[in-house]
Amino acid sequence: MLSNKTCSAVRTAINALQHYKVLNTLTNDCFDKALETEQQLSNEQKNNSPLYGRPILIKDNYCLQDTYTTCASKMLANFRAPYTSTIVQRLIDSGCIIVGKTNMDEFSMGVASWGVFGPVGNPWSVKKATNIDEQNSKKLLHVAGGSSGGSAAAVAANFVSIALGSDTGGSVRNPAARCGCYGFKPSYGLLSRYGMIALVNSFDSPGIFTRSIDDLILTINAIAGPDGEDATLLSKPFEQFQTSTELLKEKKKITIGLPDEYDINKLSSEYRSCLQHLVSQLTETGEFTFKRVQLPYTPYSNAAYTILSSCEIASNMSRYDGIKYGHHTNNIDENKDTYEDILRKTRDESLSERVRGRILAGNYYLLEENYEKYFVQSQRVRRGVTNDYTKVFEEDKVDCLLAPVVSDDPITHAEYEQSDTIFTDDDIFTVGANLAGLPALSFPVQVSSKGFPIGLQLIGPFLQDQALLSIANRICSTYKFPFLDLTKQD
């Protein structure tokens, strides 16, 4: 039987999500189903899963059978998934209770989690300001990062302790750093992508938000492993990760690389000082050493990522024509309109300018006359980025890299609305791990002078995910971050 504390977890999560609707963390709720599931679990014999009875949230690009899966787009506003994502199903099988689907950038394209349902608010804004309403929210609420901002905000606010996101170029690590929680992007191929709506197949990775490394490990252990539905998944059996208590027993001295290329001019003095202070603090323990390393292809990584992602987006988005599923225009002249006319009208009505722009750019790069100088050249850069990482791990003998995730505090929704930002200078910190398929973890370090969390990230060698989490666990045990908890705030 579930304890009273566990039985109340779903209701507590629902109350918090309803009370803080201003943060706009959800696209669709599963409240009734969650309460029903909780009651069913309470009447059943408890299984051995440590996740049994835990309320969770999933980003709205994960399929959940018979539930709206919208990708925060008008195109899929009425789409009910006919099946459930592999990793979502594994969480359900472990006893997790899905409370809702979280808000995001439309089709995961953006850095503010601002789609057709409006923007996600940064929960630290609520701590800073009171009496936020629809009239003043854009001036008082700050961006939560993207594209998985709804999941990050909900975990950071302690509405739930675990949520799923997806990371294509930093879409888990960026909002985790903005909101103040852990955000993990595993090695490419470690977690099944089946049932996660694709943005860029060769970059996409399921991601996890938590408030502790223990919960990260528990979640990975529940969802990793071979899946016949995903041909890109590693075929070998998954070996369960050790708990943080077991990880702390390892006392090997750690060598961490500090890439010169990530020390960009835009990095604010406070964020640079945060990194430098952590390096000094860890050095004093005697358990860590640091060395400068070089990643020569990093300055070209943003351009390569932009081109390659746009090309795959153009291919993936071709399925959204309004014929098989999704929004279909009613503005049709049956005597005149061709299929191309109907497609154009459908997309004009249901896809944002940003999404249509990425499709247009991708098709441009793939034109016969452009293919070699854009797509092929970007693939060469991608190989160079991968080789850079291999060199620092194998030849420079570093166990992982320490780097920023974002360069400064978040801006308000009003300020973001005035910008045309799709890609930012901060992408240079995050896209490399996706280009190379490496594991990376964003973790909170301190609170800025303006009252927002400052997060850093660790990047590790391919398939050394457990080793990376072990290092992170040792680092985070040297200080105490003041996690936000809006459930205890009046």
Side-chain angles (χ1 to χ4, degrees):
M1 298 286 287
L2 292 172
S3 67
N4 289 334
K5 181 179 179 181
T6 307
C7 280
S8 68
V10 169
R11 174 53 67 187
T12 299
I14 291 172
N15 290 344
L17 289 162
Q18 290 177 325
H19 184 72
Y20 287 103
K21 278 188 176 180
V22 69
L23 293 179
N24 199 28
T25 53
L26 299 183
T27 56
N28 296 288
D29 70 68
C30 306
F31 295 165
D32 292 340
K33 177 67 174 176
L35 290 168
E36 179 184 326
T37 301
E38 183 181 49
Q39 184 60 46
Q40 290 173 353
L41 291 179
S42 70
N43 294 328
E44 294 174 1
Q45 181 68 33
K46 180 177 179 180
N47 65 26
N48 294 323
S49 170
L51 298 177
Y52 194 81
R54 297 276 291 272
I56 65 168
L57 294 168
I58 61 175
K59 187 177 179 180
D60 201 15
N61 62 343
Y62 284 94
C63 289
L64 180 63
Q65 188 171 15
D66 298 327
T67 304
Y68 287 116
T69 302
T70 71
C71 287
S73 175
K74 183 179 178 181
M75 174 60 80
L76 294 178
N78 295 311
F79 174 69
R80 288 181 182 268
Y83 64 96
T84 297
S85 148
T86 293
I87 64 173
V88 172
Q89 186 60 55
R90 288 176 178 174
L91 287 171
I92 294 171
D93 293 342
S94 296
C96 289
I97 302 170
I98 298 173
V99 179
K101 309 286 288 294
T102 58
N103 203 355
M104 55 186 283
D105 286 296
E106 184 178 6
F107 285 103
S108 299
M109 300 183 207
V111 292
S113 299
W114 194 327
V116 72
F117 296 97
V120 176
N122 192 307
W124 292 78
S125 298
V126 175
K127 184 178 180 180
K128 288 163 57 66
T130 57
N131 299 321
I132 300 176
D133 54 35
E134 290 186 7
Q135 283 68 42
N136 61 22
S137 64
K138 287 186 177 180
K139 292 182 179 179
L140 296 179
L141 287 177
H142 297 72
V143 297
S147 63
S148 309
S151 291
V155 170
N158 203 25
F159 301 159
V160 295
S161 55
I162 298 170
L164 292 184
S166 62
D167 194 308
T168 306
S171 294
V172 164
R173 290 162 287 153
N174 177 289
R178 290 285 187 213
C179 294
C181 61
Y182 293 97
F184 183 55
K185 184 204 90 68
S187 294
Y188 186 84
L190 184 68
L191 300 182
S192 173
R193 294 185 297 112
Y194 179 71
M196 185 182 82
I197 295 176
L199 176 64
V200 183
N201 300 65
S202 67
F203 297 159
D204 289 346
S205 175
I208 306 164
F209 296 97
T210 66
R211 296 168 67 87
S212 72
I213 291 178
D214 267 333
D215 278 346
L216 268 180
I217 294 169
L218 293 176
T219 306
I220 293 167
N221 285 342
I223 64 180
D227 177 19
E229 301 292 348
D230 184 356
T232 63
L233 197 65
L234 298 170
S235 58
K236 66 179 184 179
F238 172 72
E239 295 184 11
Q240 295 275 296
F241 287 1
Q242 295 177 307
T243 64
S244 63
T245 302
E246 294 169 317
L247 293 177
L248 281 174
K249 294 177 182 177
E250 185 181 336
K251 291 300 181 183
K252 168 194 167 187
K253 194 164 188 176
I254 302 298
T255 301
I256 299 178
L258 300 171
D260 289 335
E261 290 75 14
Y262 292 157
D263 189 11
I264 62 174
N265 291 333
K266 193 181 176 185
L267 186 63
S268 73
S269 58
E270 187 172 19
Y271 278 53
R272 182 177 283 107
S273 294
C274 173
L275 190 153
Q276 292 170 343
H277 177 72
L278 182 62
V279 169
S280 298
Q281 181 178 314
L282 295 176
T283 301
E284 289 174 3
T285 67
E287 297 181 15
F288 301 86
T289 59
F290 293 85
K291 63 189 299 186
R292 305 301 306 188
V293 296
Q294 288 73 47
L295 301 171
Y297 274 88
T298 292
Y300 313 107
S301 60
N302 268 4
Y305 173 82
T306 301
I307 292 168
L308 293 175
S309 63
S310 296
C311 291
E312 290 198 41
I313 286 167
S315 175
N316 281 329
M317 295 298 292
S318 64
R319 73 192 69 176
Y320 301 112
D321 59 3
I323 304 298
K324 293 180 180 178
Y325 52 83
H327 174 78
H328 182 70
T329 183
N330 293 319
N331 181 24
I332 300 174
D333 185 337
E334 295 182 358
N335 297 319
K336 179 181 178 183
D337 284 347
T338 64
Y339 168 76
E340 286 75 17
D341 294 326
I342 296 172
L343 177 62
R344 176 179 52 79
K345 291 179 180 180
T346 293
R347 289 184 170 178
D348 282 348
E349 292 172 5
S350 62
L351 297 177
S352 67
E353 184 178 348
R354 171 174 296 173
V355 174
R356 298 199 309 274
R358 295 285 290 276
I359 296 171
L360 179 64
N363 284 315
Y364 174 79
Y365 297 136
L366 290 171
L367 289 173
E368 184 177 358
E369 61 267 31
N370 295 332
Y371 185 81
E372 178 72 27
K373 63 182 177 180
Y374 288 112
F375 183 79
V376 174
Q377 187 66 13
S378 294
Q379 290 286 26
R380 294 189 182 113
V381 172
R382 183 178 190 178
R383 173 56 58 189
V385 169
T386 302
N387 290 340
D388 283 350
Y389 284 119
T390 301
K391 178 181 179 297
V392 298
F393 293 133
E394 295 183 359
E395 296 181 22
D396 295 340
K397 305 296 183 184
V398 300
D399 296 295
C400 67
L401 303 176
L402 177 65
V405 182
V406 294
S407 57
D408 207 345
D409 286 335
I411 58 176
T412 65
H413 288 160
E415 291 169 328
Y416 181 83
E417 201 169 28
Q418 298 303 312
S419 70
D420 295 321
T421 302
I422 299 178
F423 302 99
T424 72
D425 293 339
D426 291 346
D427 289 342
I428 196 171
F429 303 131
T430 55
V431 298
N434 296 87
L435 288 166
L438 304 180
L441 171 72
S442 173
F443 60 98
V445 180
Q446 68 181 54
V447 177
S448 74
S449 59
K450 293 181 181 179
F452 291 98
I454 301 177
L456 298 174
Q457 68 173 328
L458 296 176
I459 303 171
F462 183 61
L463 292 183
Q464 295 300 307
D465 299 61
Q466 177 167 280
L468 188 72
L469 293 178
S470 175
I471 295 169
N473 193 51
R474 289 174 63 180
I475 289 174
C476 295
S477 68
T478 64
Y479 64 90
K480 188 174 180 61
F481 178 76
F483 285 96
L484 186 66
D485 188 352
L486 291 184
T487 66
K488 295 181 180 179
Q489 183 166 319
D490 295 334

